[in-house]
Amino acid sequence: MDNSGAKQLGPAHGLNGRRQISFSREMKATVDPPALNEVQRGSPNRIRTTRFTWLTWLPKSLFAQFHRAANVYFLFVSVIVCLPDGPMMWSSTVVPFIGVLLWTAFKDLYEDRRRKKDDDAENLRTCWRYDTKTKEFAQVRWMDVCVGDVLLSFADEAFPADVLVVRAAGGQAFISTVNLDGETNLKERSSANLLSALCDMPEAGPDVPRGDNAREKVLESAVRTAQHLYTEGLQVELQAPKPVLTDMEGSLKLSSASETASAKLKELEVTLPCKLSYELFVPRGCVLRNTLYVISVA
C-alpha cells in the first residue's frame, strides 16, 4: 500500500495516479508505477522526522532564527554598533547576540539528534516478510518493507506499514488504534470476499488455532497462503492517496485463476473485480490484539 514513510513525489514521478500490485506464477510481485519502491533510495517505508544533517545544521538553524523579527532587529543593531562611529562598544551587543544564536542552534541540534534516535528505533524494528527466493518468512527491518510485500504479524505486534488484510486467525482481526487517534476500543478488520475465498481453499493452508507451537504452525501455513496468492495471480489496484484516511477505493482480481479458484468464487458468488473499502485496511502503527496472526500485503 501507500507506505506512510514514503516521501510525496510530484506528477513527474507518476505517483499521483492509481497504483497496482500484481503477483505472478513466477513468484514475482510487480508494482506499477515502479517508482513507488524507489523513493528514499529504495527504502520507501523509512520514516525521517529530522530537520538537519551535520552539514546543513548550522545554516538551516540560523536561517530559521532570522525568520524572527527580534533576531533581525538585533542583527541590525549589531551592524550599527560595529560602524566606526557606533554609539557603544560593539562587544557589549555583538557577543551576547552571537551567544544567543549559537545556544539556540545547539538546542536545535540536540532536539534533532533525539528525533533521529526515535526514527532509528522505529525504522530498525523487525517484522516477518515472505521471501520469494527462500520460500519462507524471514524477519526484516521496517525500513526495508516495500510495496507489494506479503507480511505476517503476530498478536501484540504493530503493523509496519499500511496493509491490506489477506487472512486473519478465525477470519477476524482486532486492532488497537490508540497510537493514532487515542481511542482505546478495539476495531474489527477482515479480508475482502475474494481473499476470504482464496484462503478458504486447501492450497492456502489451514487456519491455525491457539495452542502449543502455534507460532511455528502459523509460519508454515502462511508460506502456503503467500504462495497461493502468487499462483492465482492476485492483482490489487488502488486509487491515488487522499488526505482523508477513510476515503479509500480499490479493487481485486485474479490474472491467472485456476479452475478450482474460479469454481470456489462461483460457489461463494464472489464477483470480480472485488471492491475494496477502508475497513479492509490497517494503518501503520496499529497493534494487533486478541488475534493470533494476520497475513497482509503492504
Side-chain angles (χ1 to χ4, degrees):
M1 304 307 101
D2 186 39
N3 296 317
S4 55
K7 293 182 179 179
Q8 296 296 321
L9 302 183
H13 295 80
L15 300 188
N16 285 346
R18 298 179 72 88
R19 59 279 315 274
Q20 187 179 74
I21 305 170
S22 302
F23 297 92
S24 66
R25 291 180 180 270
E26 292 74 26
M27 304 302 281
K28 293 182 179 179
T30 305
V31 178
D32 184 35
L36 284 171
N37 283 332
E38 296 173 0
V39 295
Q40 300 197 103
R41 300 179 181 179
S43 298
N45 202 47
R46 182 170 64 91
I47 63 169
R48 178 185 173 187
T49 60
T50 56
R51 298 167 53 195
F52 316 121
T53 64
W54 288 106
L55 185 62
T56 63
W57 153 61
L58 191 57
K60 282 189 174 182
S61 179
L62 293 177
F63 180 76
Q65 291 185 62
F66 280 111
H67 276 70
R68 302 172 188 143
N71 286 337
V72 175
Y73 168 77
F74 283 111
L75 175 63
F76 177 75
V77 172
S78 298
V79 172
I80 294 298
V81 299
C82 287
L83 296 176
D85 298 328
M88 62 182 70
M89 291 291 294
W90 65 269
S91 58
S92 62
T93 302
V94 175
V95 173
F97 180 54
I98 293 177
V100 170
L101 293 177
L102 290 178
W103 181 85
T104 304
F106 279 109
K107 180 178 68 71
D108 291 341
L109 178 63
Y110 171 75
E111 293 175 349
D112 205 60
R113 292 301 92 188
R114 292 189 62 181
R115 283 192 290 268
K116 185 179 186 306
K117 183 178 180 180
D118 293 338
D119 290 348
D120 290 341
E122 182 81 359
N123 291 325
L124 297 179
R125 296 174 71 175
T126 59
C127 63
W128 293 93
R129 179 178 69 180
Y130 181 69
D131 190 329
T132 56
K133 295 180 179 179
T134 61
K135 295 184 179 181
E136 62 182 12
F137 278 86
Q139 287 193 309
V140 297
R141 300 175 300 180
W142 279 25
M143 63 182 291
D144 295 327
V145 173
C146 295
V147 179
D149 285 342
V150 179
L151 306 178
L152 173 63
S153 303
F154 287 98
D156 300 324
E157 291 182 351
F159 290 88
D162 299 339
V163 298
L164 169 66
V165 176
V166 172
R167 186 176 195 173
Q172 292 179 326
F174 296 93
I175 61 171
S176 170
T177 61
V178 66
N179 294 332
L180 302 181
D181 53 22
E183 295 186 10
T184 56
N185 58 305
L186 300 181
K187 295 168 177 69
E188 183 180 341
R189 290 292 186 271
S190 58
S191 57
N193 294 336
L194 172 60
L195 295 173
S196 295
L198 290 179
C199 294
D200 195 38
M201 298 173 62
E203 294 83 351
D207 188 16
V208 179
R210 293 180 181 273
D212 296 336
N213 300 322
R215 194 179 186 92
E216 289 74 16
K217 294 178 181 178
V218 168
L219 287 170
E220 295 176 1
S221 180
V223 168
R224 296 176 60 182
T225 303
Q227 292 176 344
H228 193 48
L229 298 180
Y230 283 91
T231 302
E232 300 297 340
L234 178 67
Q235 288 187 348
V236 185
E237 186 173 347
L238 300 171
Q239 67 172 6
K242 294 184 178 180
V244 181
L245 186 62
T246 56
D247 189 8
M248 299 182 66
E249 294 179 2
S251 62
L252 297 173
K253 58 183 180 180
L254 303 177
S255 62
S256 56
S258 63
E259 293 184 1
T260 306
S262 299
K264 186 70 174 181
L265 297 180
K266 185 177 181 180
E267 176 188 349
L268 298 178
E269 299 182 351
V270 178
T271 58
L272 297 179
C274 178
K275 299 297 182 181
L276 298 177
S277 62
Y278 169 72
E279 288 75 16
L280 306 175
F281 294 88
V282 178
R284 173 178 176 148
C286 295
V287 180
L288 184 64
R289 300 294 189 191
N290 301 339
T291 308
L292 180 59
Y293 70 92
V294 163
I295 302 172
S296 58
V297 175

